[in-house]
């Protein structure tokens, strides 16, 4: 080649080997663009604005294209090309501080705002859950809430001399442990690898089922076993991932992968909860509960002196006389709402572990009417894997991914 290296041309006509500067990027059309040109050639945005100004109906496909264009151009300078920023991380960064500051002006505003926030979160969850789409809004809200509440704790409680360094160190250690468990829970939950051997094996197993049998001769024991193998394989074979799933595994439509011992997809950490990270998820909830409750008690003792913690949460005379104390009291109530919600999740998780049932299995059992609701409907006992309280917890604590590649007779 005479020492000359040929460069492949991209769709935009430029060489793909060219190094992008910090403000350049490859847009959704495959063309090279610059951050300074973010307002240029906005046909989709112009069409959407024109329809809105002229009071014409905005077609869904026009709105979708406008949102895709805006999200593709919202980037920050970075090494070797500008990085795309997910727009769903921005609403919590803006709305949460504004909402809490507005709620701190009056008790009625606090009731309205703090009641509206959970409703909005649940509505957005139902919207994204119905579409089976991934979003970073809940993870952004969780992380920003932790950071903002810690900042408020330092600003309004520690720096004003209401507590000592011992309480501050305890809350700080709890926050660091919470973040550490969050990082562990964000790791691989036990994704099943899409292997060509597994696909060929699954197809071969399914070919040995009753569908290949011809005639009406009496079936032998081998044919009956082949029929059972076929039925089990059809149930555990994932047509999307092309993999034979071990027992209790499931396919997550949000992540697009099969997960071993799938419990559920947690939007708060934007990850599935499976065999490898379920224990860290439980530990995350436990540490968060202890840290949050301890922080609430310390803050209430500092803001409402002379009253018990429980009574101060519902009645704290004179707390709205000073904006600083009213804002701290509003943040206490915000933390209390979050703590109550996460506490409910923790209780459900502990009950499911005690009965050796995953959230996915409970949902399937309710849909197929194969389980029974106990404890007021808090847990669904399928009876399939329940071996008693002690054995269930021992099995949960020993769960790993060692058995991901089980043979089909073990599944049967």
């Amino acid at each position: 080649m005479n020492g000359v290296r040929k460069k492949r041309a991209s769709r935009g006509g430029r060489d793909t080997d060219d190094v992008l500067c910090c403000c350049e990027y490859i847009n959704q059309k495959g063309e090279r663009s610059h951050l300074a040109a973010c307002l240029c050639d906005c046909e989709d945005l112009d069409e959407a604005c024109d329809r809105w100004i002229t009071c014409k109906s905005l077609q869904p496909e026009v709105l979708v294209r406008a949102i895709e264009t805006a999200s593709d151009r919202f980037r920050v300078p970075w090494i070797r090309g500008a990085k795309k920023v997910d727009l769903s991380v921005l609403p919590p960064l803006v709305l949460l501080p504004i909402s809490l500051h507005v709620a701190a002006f009056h008790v009625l505003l606090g009731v309205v705002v703090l009641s509206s926030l959970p409703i909005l979160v649940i509505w957005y969850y139902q919207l994204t859950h119905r579409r089976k789409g991934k979003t970073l809004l809940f993870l952004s809200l969780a992380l920003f809430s932790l950071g903002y509440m810690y900042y408020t704790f330092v600003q309004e409680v520690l720096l004003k001399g209401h507590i000592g360094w011992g309480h501050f160190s305890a809350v700080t250690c709890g926050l660091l442990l919470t973040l550490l468990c969050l990082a562990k829970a964000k790791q691989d939950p036990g994704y099943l690898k899409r292997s060509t051997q597994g696909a060929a094996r699954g197809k071969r197993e399914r070919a040995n089922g009753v569908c290949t049998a011809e005639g009406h001769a009496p079936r032998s024991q081998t044919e009956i076993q082949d029929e059972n193998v076929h039925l089990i394989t059809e149930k555990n074979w994932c047509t999307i991932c092309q993999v034979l799933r071990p027992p209790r595994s499931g396919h997550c439509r949000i992540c697009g992968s099969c997960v071993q011992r799938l419990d559920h997809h947690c939007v708060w950490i934007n990850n599935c909860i499976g065999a490898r990270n379920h224990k860290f998820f439980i530990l995350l909830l436990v540490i968060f509960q202890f840290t949050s409750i301890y922080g609430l008690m310390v803050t209430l003792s500092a803001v409402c002196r002379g009253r018990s913690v429980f009574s101060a949460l519902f009645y704290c005379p004179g707390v709205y006389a000073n904006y600083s104390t009213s804002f701290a009291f509003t943040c206490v109530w915000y933390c209390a709402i979050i703590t109550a919600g996460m506490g409910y999740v923790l209780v459900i998780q502990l009950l499911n572990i005690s009965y050796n049932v995953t959230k996915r299995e409970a949902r399937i059992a309710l849909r197929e009417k194969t389980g029974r609701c106990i404890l007021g409907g808090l847990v669904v006992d399928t009876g399939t894997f329940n071996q008693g309280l002690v054995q269930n917890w021992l099995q949960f604590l020993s769960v790993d991914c060692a058995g991901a590649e089980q043979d089909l007779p073990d599944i049967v």
Side-chain angles (χ1 to χ4, degrees), residues 51-101:
R51 286 182 170 273
W52 179 72
I53 293 174
T54 57
C55 298
K56 295 181 179 179
S57 60
L58 191 60
Q59 299 177 355
E61 57 271 15
V62 176
L63 182 60
V64 169
R65 290 199 307 268
I67 295 176
E68 290 178 351
T69 302
S71 60
D72 181 62
R73 298 186 180 187
F74 190 78
R75 298 172 180 261
V76 294
W78 201 256
I79 303 174
R80 294 184 179 179
K83 295 295 183 182
K84 185 177 179 180
V85 178
D86 196 322
L87 294 177
S88 61
V89 304
L90 299 181
L93 307 183
V94 179
L95 296 180
L96 181 60
I98 295 177
S99 301
L100 293 180
H101 279 284

Side-chain angles (χ1 to χ4, degrees), residues 156-167:
E156 302 294 339
V157 181
L158 175 66
L159 295 183
K160 295 187 177 181
H162 295 310
I163 63 171
W165 290 99
H167 294 303

Side-chain angles (χ1 to χ4, degrees), residues 26-27 47 61 66 71 85 88-89 118 201 211 311 330 332 344 346 363 397 405:
I26 303 299
N27 60 21
E47 183 181 357
E61 57 271 15
S71 60
V85 178
S88 61
V89 304
R201 171 185 169 189
C211 295
S311 62
T330 303
V332 165
Y344 174 78
L346 177 61
R363 186 173 62 251
L397 295 176
E405 298 295 333

Side-chain angles (χ1 to χ4, degrees), residues 44-353:
D44 298 327
L45 295 177
D46 292 340
E47 183 181 357
C49 292
D50 291 340
R51 286 182 170 273
W52 179 72
I53 293 174
T54 57
C55 298
K56 295 181 179 179
S57 60
L58 191 60
Q59 299 177 355
E61 57 271 15
V62 176
L63 182 60
V64 169
R65 290 199 307 268
I67 295 176
E68 290 178 351
T69 302
S71 60
D72 181 62
R73 298 186 180 187
F74 190 78
R75 298 172 180 261
V76 294
W78 201 256
I79 303 174
R80 294 184 179 179
K83 295 295 183 182
K84 185 177 179 180
V85 178
D86 196 322
L87 294 177
S88 61
V89 304
L90 299 181
L93 307 183
V94 179
L95 296 180
L96 181 60
I98 295 177
S99 301
L100 293 180
H101 279 284
V102 171
F105 281 107
H106 196 271
V107 60
L108 294 180
L109 286 174
V111 172
V112 173
V113 171
L114 294 178
S115 301
S116 302
L117 286 178
I119 296 176
L120 290 176
V121 171
I122 294 174
W123 170 80
Y124 189 80
Y125 169 76
Q126 295 293 338
L127 181 65
T128 56
H129 183 72
R130 184 165 57 250
R131 295 181 178 180
K132 301 299 180 184
K134 261 192 172 184
T135 175
L136 293 177
L137 184 138
F138 299 100
L139 178 61
S140 173
L141 178 60
L143 291 176
F144 185 67
S145 296
L146 285 175
Y148 194 66
M149 293 303 103
Y150 182 74
Y151 167 78
T152 304
F153 177 78
V154 174
Q155 189 75 19
E156 302 294 339
V157 181
L158 175 66
L159 295 183
K160 295 187 177 181
H162 295 310
I163 63 171
W165 290 99
H167 294 303
F168 171 72
S169 301
V171 174
T172 302
C173 290
L175 177 63
L176 294 177
L177 289 176
T178 301
L179 294 177
L180 178 61
C181 292
L182 176 61
K184 289 291 186 180
K186 284 281 295 177
Q187 293 180 353
D188 181 10
Y191 292 121
L192 297 178
K193 297 181 179 180
R194 305 185 183 189
S195 61
T196 55
Q197 294 180 353
R201 171 185 169 189
K203 294 177 181 178
R204 184 172 62 252
E205 299 284 2
R206 287 188 293 173
N208 291 329
V210 293
C211 295
T212 58
E214 298 179 357
H216 301 279
R219 295 181 300 175
S220 63
Q221 185 67 23
T222 303
E223 292 176 338
I224 296 177
Q225 291 180 354
D226 288 343
E227 179 180 354
N228 293 334
V229 166
H230 169 75
L231 295 176
I232 296 297
T233 306
E234 287 291 337
K235 182 179 179 180
N236 291 276
W237 175 258
C238 180
T239 57
I240 300 177
C241 299
Q242 295 294 301
V243 67
L244 186 62
R245 296 185 299 226
R248 313 190 73 176
S249 301
H251 181 83
C252 177
R253 289 180 289 178
I254 299 178
C255 294
S257 300
C258 288
V259 181
Q260 185 183 4
R261 201 182 184 275
L262 175 64
D263 187 82
H264 69 287
H265 181 92
C266 181
V267 295
W268 295 105
I269 66 173
N270 195 34
N271 196 22
C272 285
I273 305 300
R276 288 187 177 178
N277 64 345
H278 202 167
K279 292 187 288 292
F280 292 110
F281 180 70
I282 298 297
L283 191 59
L284 167 65
L285 294 176
V286 172
I287 294 178
F288 172 78
Q289 287 295 117
F290 279 108
T291 304
S292 181
I293 293 175
Y294 182 78
L296 291 176
M297 294 173 59
V298 171
T299 305
L300 282 175
S301 300
V303 174
C304 303
R305 296 183 180 274
R307 302 187 65 88
S308 63
V309 174
F310 185 77
S311 62
L313 184 61
F314 295 95
Y315 181 68
C316 185
V319 70
Y320 283 92
N322 186 359
Y323 184 79
S324 176
T325 57
S326 65
F327 181 70
F329 187 73
T330 303
C331 291
V332 165
W333 260 105
Y334 176 73
C335 289
I337 294 174
I338 294 179
T339 304
M342 294 298 104
Y344 174 78
V345 174
L346 177 61
V347 169
I348 297 299
Q349 286 289 317
L350 295 180
L351 289 175
N352 286 342
I353 296 172

